[in-house]
Amino acid sequence: MKVREYIKDNVLLFDGAMGTMLQKKGLKLGGIPELLNLTDRELIKEIHREYLHSGSQVITTNTFGANEHKLAGSGASVEEVISAAVQIAKEAKAGYDDAFIALDIGPIGELLEPLGTLEFDDAYAIFKRQIDAGVKAGGVDIILIETMTDLYEVKAAVLAAKESCELPVFVTMSFEENGRTFTGCCVESMVATLSGLGVDALGVNCSLGPMQLKPVVSKILKYSSVPVMVQPNAGLPVIIDGKTNFDIDKHQFSEIVLEFVKAGVSIVGGCCGTSQEYIDEIKNGLRTVEKGRNNPVKTSAVCTPSQLIELDSVKVIGERINPTGKKIFKQALVEHNMEYILKQAVEQTDAGADILDVNVGLPEINEKEMMVKVVKEIQSILPVPLQIDSSNPQAIEAGLRYYNGKAIVNSVNGEEKVLKNILPIVKKYGAAVVGLTLSEEGIPPKAEQRFAIAKKIYETALSYGIAKENIFIDCLTLTVSAQQEEVAETLKAVRMVKEQLGLKTVLGVSNISFGLPNRALINETFLSLALANGLDLPIINPNAQGMMGVISSYKVLYNLDKNANQYIEKYADMQVRTEKPSSSVKDLKTVVIKGLKDEARQETIKMLENMDEMIIVNEYLIPALDIVGLKYEKGEIFLPQLIQSAETVKVAFEVIKEKIQQKGTIGISKGKVILATVKGDIHDIGKNIVKVIMENYGFEIIDLGRDVPAKKIVETAQKEKVKLIGLSALMTTTLVSMEETIQALKKSGLDCRTFVGGAVLTEDYAMKIGADYYAKDAKRSVDIANEFFNQ
């Protein structure tokens, strides 16, 4: 039976850990596990055979880190390593005819834009090279993309897989106890994005034990319409006799995993710390357990990695990123003035827009290139979902390809050619789509005619595999000054679509008032009528406070805002104005918080004309970062926004440093700190993020890199007279190295303190291995440094 058919009604049992098994069998700390495919084939084959003998139906190739980034300098090519790994798996599988082979694809090990410098296309190429090598080797049944924390990186990998082969694609991400990945991706956004991209299974692996993963698994099952996969660690790491172990035995592990199966999970296995005994225990338990039926909630939603907007009530689409009728905006597009465009995005979001419409269609520019640029820039500073607005299929596809999350496409219409060109793109990228009720003959005057077009769009979209929840209809707002009789027809059509098709509805509201005086009054009245007739997604200017007020009061009157809580919070201390003034982004603190780099440079230059450098640093830049840090700690913003603000401060610092150097005075430094990823650990993403944040708080960082021996850290601390040292580890197997490094620093007699961090660490564990401080994230690292140097 093929994999896709099997997981519909059966439980598929994967294998357990590879890395910790290799450590037990003698892999040296810091060794590259994937090179064993070339140097010790029998060892890898032995592990595969042990898992198959224990009941694993899938063995995972030893290729987790077999990409060009992690193999750089090893002397082995990606193709050599992967081909050997697949061959070993095929040899191990001999005699197990019903078993499958999964090609293992792990994270690249470098941060993608905007968090880092690796471009999306480069990440795609890295993953495609791995997948091509695995497929060419022959015998692979599944592409397994696992242990991911960045949804953008996942998207690159999934597209590389689906555009390279027809094999089933399974994806698992690693979530922390707060229900988010390291980069801030939430469960709902993972499910919405990956199910839209057409993966065959999705779920969670690594980072936590099965007990800690229960809330995460429960939420995945609630939303996922595709099979769910779970591969937990064997609990949390503990030190026993100087060695790292895990706190859940095979019986406890199996008991919880079987609970997942009863709840509807289709694919199970183990990650760090699990062995063949764990798999054997699950296999035995599966004989007496019936797989549960998963009945996910069907919702209309769009998302970014950190934010899912469920369209369960009226949601506002901001209309201002659009050149139509906007001379200054047209000029900004021609001049590639991204700061102006980003300010429009920030102002609309601040004013209450839930989604931003992005239209950059202008004859004088390359719309496809500009769409990509604007999408990337907006998602680098804001967590708000986007609506890709264009009639150009190339621009639509480019926008969707580089968008991080699930977007809306605006739009298609009743023309056969348009439906044929756009709907396959919408399906491929898992977007929602707006259908305009017009055809080759134009916009029909009567509601019944518009409804007929809406029904055609709906049925055609369904035939392309686009779910009902992702089909929205725009019954088209015409200008009342010219087509007064048709206003009522628009409202009637909205009601018909809502009641007879059950679809979400969209309208560009302000079109109604062109050519009339006191447009705001007409707009607000029409919006009120449209909402009463079933409008879900008004496209408006959110800075028009009267329109926003209509929506707020509508939610109260229709019992959507329970106890009028949102209304009271918004209006209790406000005097209602017709228009809300644009938010100022000229204040340097605000500029930093918003992450507007060009504004930061210009404002800093201006302030330096009559203000001391250190006043700017201490009274503007650092306080702004503190505000951002507090928002991060409260979960109001996430890692991308934190880093963007830090990078914005960096721009301001560069201007200030130039001024200081011109005056011949000493540069800015609040203290010197060593950062290093410990011996045996080649994962340095977390350490690199800490470096970015700390540097922009004014600390001088000595970055020793990754896989750093204790001796080098001690020698550097002595030579540079450093009193604060930050150590990072991502792999459970290298926590011993972290403890050894801490002990080496203490034995050296140096007057220094250590702070430690990493996904596998807990505060209790950090204290047990002798660290002075535990940094749960980059912001806490800054707090520790501030506390230490201010003592």
Side-chain angles (χ1 to χ4, degrees), residues 171-192:
V171 180
T172 53
M173 297 187 75
S174 293
F175 288 88
E176 300 176 3
E177 287 194 78
N178 63 1
R180 293 184 179 271
T181 70
F182 174 64
T183 60
C185 178
C186 63
V187 169
E188 298 92 331
S189 291
M190 175 194 74
V191 173

Side-chain angles (χ1 to χ4, degrees), residues 407-463:
I408 304 172
V409 170
N410 188 3
S411 56
V412 296
N413 57 49
E415 295 183 34
E416 292 290 344
K417 182 180 178 181
V418 173
L419 293 169
K420 185 177 179 180
N421 287 340
I422 303 298
L423 290 181
I425 300 172
V426 172
K427 172 60 178 173
K428 175 179 178 179
Y429 293 98
V433 64
V434 175
L436 307 180
T437 55
L438 61 86
S439 64
E440 291 86 350
E441 287 76 39
I443 303 172
K446 294 297 182 181
E448 290 78 9
Q449 296 168 304
R450 296 190 206 180
F451 176 81
I453 296 173
K455 188 175 181 182
K456 175 186 176 181
I457 293 170
Y458 169 50
E459 292 173 347
T460 306
L462 288 177
S463 73

Side-chain angles (χ1 to χ4, degrees), residues 72 88 245 310 390 413 422 507 545 614 741 757:
I88 292 167
N245 291 275
E310 194 169 334
S390 176
N413 57 49
I422 303 298
L507 281 178
Q545 196 176 57
M614 295 313 297
T741 302

Side-chain angles (χ1 to χ4, degrees), residues 65-73 76-79 108 122 125-127 129-130:
N67 64 63
E68 59 196 64
H69 174 71
K70 289 183 178 178
L71 290 177
S77 72
V78 171
E79 289 74 16
I108 294 169
D122 293 333
I126 288 170
F127 288 125
R129 183 179 177 187
Q130 292 174 269

